[in-house]
Amino acid sequence: MTPGTPTLRIPARLTAPDPGWVMSADVIVVGSGIAGLTAALRLRQRVDRVLLVTKTVLSEGSTEWAQGGIAAALDPEDSADEHLGDTLVAGAGVCDEEAVRILVSEGPARVRELVGLGALFDRGPDGEISLTREGGHGRDRIAHAGGDATGKEISRALIAALRAALIAVKEDPGIEVIEHALVVDLLQDRDSRVCGVTLHVIGEGQNDGVGAALARAVVLATGGIGQVYSSTTNPSVATGDGVAAALRAGAVVADLEFVQFHPTVLWLGEGASGQQPLLSEAMRGEGAFLVDRDGVRFMAGVHELADLAPRDIVAKAIVARMARTGADHVYLDARHLGREFLEKRFPSILARCRELGFDPVSELLPVAPAQHYASGGVHTDLVGRSTLAGLYACGEVSNTGVHGANRLASNSLLEGLVFAHRIADDITSRLSAGELTSADPVVVGADSTLVAGDERTAVQRAMTLGAGAVRSAESLAQAAKSLQAIADSAPGVTADPDSWETSNLLHVGQLLTAVATLRKETRGGHVRSDFTVRDDAHWLGHIQAVREADGSITTSFHPVTPHGPVRVHSPVTAHRPVTAHRPVTRSDAS
Ligand SMILES: Cc1cc2nc3c(=O)[nH]c(=O)nc-3n(C[C@H](O)[C@H](O)[C@H](O)COP(=O)(O)OP(=O)(O)OC[C@H]3O[C@@H](n4cnc5c(N)ncnc54)[C@H](O)[C@@H]3O)c2cc1C
């Protein structure tokens, strides 16, 4: 480390008022997307007291925005092995093959259970679920609902099942749901075991303001980090709260540099920010194609799957084409698919485009890549356990290893479903074995911080310019510097939901920038303009990061070969990349 270079420090918790009330449950599930709802519903069948808390309303989250569908080898001609092969290719060498095997082999049964629960998937004339193809898939294996409203239908079915359970247990409050409940931090006992959460509830009566909820296990299902960037397909709740809280508590966070930028997000002009409309990959699956501003199709020479190449390849090709033509977008051409087909197959996309003044039936649609999915997150094993006792992570917040460096289209809803089941089953058996006992939370030191809500745009701008779709050592150093300046401007900030979320964006952004600086190659969702090729000799593996007791971050490199040596890096500095190739032992880390 250069003398005078500040070390990246992440505080132990966010500044918040002391809890004014306490409640308890056996298991707390945080978040109500496909991951949280599935986990809560399955836990409810086996555990006495489940508490589901969610930041706004039950339906809010990325799940309800999912358009394309859910991938599963449901066609008799298809197989789990083929799905596995496609997933491994998209993951660019760093998927956890065992996790992928679980995903693809348990997936079909989980999707059928979803149908049993009431989810209405689109069906063909033979009554079978219709399957379509998306980028990176070698077969038609994407089940969809309402044409392009798959997430909405899945969310509707899961919430309906939850409401039915709530009515059924009116006399026996075995499952409790609290909406408008923002989890601020994790509570831990003196051995760092997670035993609850602090949360801010906008409610009435007793449970209003900041309180504490205690439990024997906590399942984080808080979704993605999209709002870390200026432009994203993710809804406003996707502020990385789960990753940030787990990091502060000392859980291992992995693969955070692998951020998927969706290639075809409707381009609404310079300066458009926040959640942007997505034009599903399924449009290209049905025959739409990309052209540049001169009308030239440019994907054919780039990849054998042309317009259906994996997302990172398409996004990279678009960025290169934009640079070559001097344009800030390219176009998606779906006109030849015809009015009748487009209106039936993509009703929501058509309605949204038309609302915004574009008609896919008669016009080219301007598109550019925008943040879409976080492949990294809270590192878990194959039953969703994080590295902290008592803490599980599920869905987009987690890093199970199934996505590697780049998620294959429509595998994320499936991941939420499959691993939520595994988590619920693991918690159930551990509770019955008496392994997860209740514990008393302790407050460790006064290491807390906050940044003001009005710094949000500055964080997003720093991340977009410095750690966006294409990065370099220079851009990342600038991002790290800008983020540190925001962190240093913190004192005197009022604790409220806006400052908690903005602080989470900052912490996720700082860590993402640090690990993206370390990885000196281009792989999957991590694209470097100064290291443009994949470098398997040095980087075939995962960067894990953990917060040490003094707030510094230690990173380590874990090769994909099962028993390869682990390299532990020095604490990450804020302004200067740590040399990542020099293997250092843990005792070397200062
Ligand atoms: C536009 C769009 C289209 C997509 N299309 C597809 C697709 O076709 N197929 C596919 O497989 N995937 C798709 N994805 C990705 C997929 O939708 C998500 O990865 C998946 O839905 C994530 O589910 P989840 O349950 O992990 O999180 P979410 O559905 O995002 O739910 C997270 C929940 O956590 C809550 N929460 C967050 N922070 C807190 C907090 N601090 N306290 C309490 N609650 C909190 C949120 O309010 C929300 O309820 C798409 C995503 C987007 C944005």
Side-chain angles (χ1 to χ4, degrees):
M1 191 174 27
T2 317
T5 307
T7 299
L8 174 58
R9 277 196 81 265
I10 300 288
R13 58 199 172 89
L14 298 181
T15 309
D18 287 337
W21 46 270
V22 181
M23 61 189 301
S24 63
D26 291 318
V27 185
I28 299 171
V29 178
V30 187
S32 56
I34 192 167
L37 288 168
T38 306
L41 281 167
R42 191 159 175 85
L43 280 163
R44 171 63 198 102
Q45 294 162 8
R46 292 119 171 265
V47 171
D48 286 343
R49 293 174 311 151
V50 178
L51 172 64
L52 174 69
V53 297
T54 192
K55 184 147 71 171
T56 60
V57 292
L58 281 174
S59 59
E60 183 79 31
S62 289
T63 297
E64 73 152 352
W65 290 93
Q67 297 175 341
I70 185 161
L74 294 166
D75 187 328
E77 302 274 291
D78 196 0
S79 69
D81 275 348
E82 284 179 72
H83 190 182
L84 174 110
D86 290 342
T87 303
L88 296 181
V89 169
V94 291
C95 291
D96 177 335
E97 190 167 334
E98 219 183 323
V100 180
R101 199 168 288 287
I102 286 167
L103 178 85
V104 297
S105 53
E106 295 180 10
R110 297 291 91 87
V111 173
R112 287 191 195 98
E113 284 165 15
L114 203 53
V115 174
L117 203 78
L120 300 171
F121 285 96
D122 296 335
R123 291 179 183 268
D126 56 359
E128 294 298 322
I129 293 177
S130 351
L131 300 170
T132 189
R133 196 176 300 206
E134 287 186 321
H137 289 273
R139 280 198 183 268
D140 292 355
R141 66 165 73 95
I142 317 298
H144 47 87
D148 56 3
T150 312
K152 210 177 237 1
E153 173 56 16
I154 290 176
S155 181
R156 182 207 61 76
L158 289 169
I159 292 172
L162 179 71
R163 293 204 196 287
L166 286 170
I167 291 165
V169 298
K170 220 170 179 178
E171 301 301 312
D172 158 28
I175 181 161
E176 186 172 353
V177 174
I178 310 183
E179 294 183 306
H180 303 288
L182 182 153
V183 164
V184 181
D185 267 312
L186 298 168
L187 288 167
Q188 291 169 278
D189 73 3
R190 59 166 46 83
D191 300 319
S192 301
R193 183 150 73 89
V194 173
C195 56
V197 298
T198 52
L199 69 174
H200 176 263
V201 178
I202 303 170
E204 4 180 278
Q206 226 186 347
N207 293 349
D208 189 28
V210 173
L214 305 179
R216 301 201 265 170
V218 173
V219 182
L220 280 179
T222 49
I225 63 164
Q227 297 292 327
V228 164
Y229 292 94
S230 306
S231 165
T232 174
T233 62
N234 292 189
S236 59
V237 290
T239 48
D241 300 1
V243 173
L247 175 70
R248 288 190 295 268
V252 166
V253 170
D255 291 341
L256 208 56
E257 69 276 28
F258 297 126
V259 181
Q260 188 170 82
F261 286 78
H262 197 290
T264 54
V265 175
L266 195 61
W267 185 81
L268 296 176
E270 213 182 315
S273 67
Q275 188 181 18
Q276 306 294 308
L278 172 68
L279 303 184
S280 167
E281 198 140 30
M283 291 183 81
R284 277 174 286 131
E286 299 289 4
F289 54 82
L290 290 159
V291 293
D292 68 13
R293 71 172 181 190
D294 302 318
V296 177
R297 286 185 73 164
F298 54 89
M299 282 309 299
V302 173
H303 191 275
E304 56 183 7
L305 291 172
D307 291 274
L308 283 175
R311 282 183 185 168
D312 58 317
I313 311 269
V314 182
K316 218 175 353 173
I318 292 177
V319 171
R321 203 66 181 188
M322 289 178 352
R324 197 164 137 189
T325 58
D328 38 22
H329 57 276
V330 295
Y331 294 94
L332 185 69
D333 192 347
R335 294 172 298 179
H336 56 290
L337 299 180
R339 177 185 305 276
E340 199 186 331
F341 178 80
L342 284 170
E343 285 178 353
K344 178 156 185 271
R345 179 69 180 87
F346 301 110
S348 317
I349 294 176
L350 250 71
R352 187 77 184 116
C353 284
R354 284 171 173 164
E355 232 174 81
L356 293 163
F358 303 96
D359 191 350
V361 172
S362 56
E363 287 175 283
L364 291 174
L365 302 169
V367 292
Q371 194 283 347
H372 184 53
Y373 186 80
S375 295
V378 181
H379 187 59
T380 71
D381 66 9
L382 299 177
V383 288
R385 296 185 199 179
S386 77
T387 53
L388 286 178
L391 181 68
Y392 289 75
C394 189
E396 193 166 340
V397 68
S398 70
N399 169 250
T400 58
V402 299
H403 305 302
N406 186 34
R407 173 187 69 119
L408 181 64
S410 286
N411 266 358
S412 42
L413 289 172
L414 190 69
E415 182 193 34
L417 262 190
V418 167
F419 285 89
H421 272 242
R422 298 194 130 236
I423 287 173
D425 291 353
D426 188 61
I427 291 178
T428 308
S429 59
R430 290 175 84 197
L431 282 175
S432 13
E435 274 180 44
L436 292 166
T437 50
S438 46
D440 293 326
V442 291
V443 174
V444 198
D447 182 17
S448 72
T449 193
L450 269 188
V451 293
D454 56 16
E455 296 284 4
R456 184 182 291 234
T457 317
V459 173
Q460 292 168 330
R461 191 176 153 72
M463 288 301 292
T464 303
L465 292 176
V470 181
R471 304 129 184 208
S472 67
E474 203 184 330
S475 76
L476 288 160
Q478 184 53 49
K481 195 169 163 191
S482 307
L483 295 173
Q484 190 58 46
I486 295 167
D488 291 343
S489 69
V493 171
T494 312
D496 62 18
D498 203 10
S499 55
W500 290 319
E501 283 188 346
T502 306
S503 304
N504 288 330
L505 294 175
L506 176 71
H507 295 159
V508 171
Q510 286 183 297
L511 183 61
L512 198 160
T513 303
V515 292
T517 304
L518 288 174
R519 187 177 283 277
K520 294 181 176 62
E521 64 157 356
T522 286
R523 182 187 300 272
H526 174 67
V527 179
R528 294 272 305 239
S529 59
D530 48 353
F531 295 95
T532 54
V533 291
R534 177 169 149 174
D535 176 4
D536 281 354
H538 297 98
W539 290 108
L540 189 65
H542 307 274
I543 299 177
Q544 296 189 354
V546 70
R547 179 188 178 278
E548 305 290 353
D550 65 356
S552 64
I553 300 292
T554 300
T555 60
S556 50
F557 182 74
H558 299 253
V560 287
T561 45
H563 303 296
V566 173
R567 284 180 269 154
V568 179
H569 310 303
S570 316
V572 176
T573 57
H575 294 306
R576 184 179 153 272
V578 168
T579 309
H581 287 202
R582 184 176 65 86
V584 290
T585 61
R586 187 169 279 277
S587 56
D588 286 329
S590 54

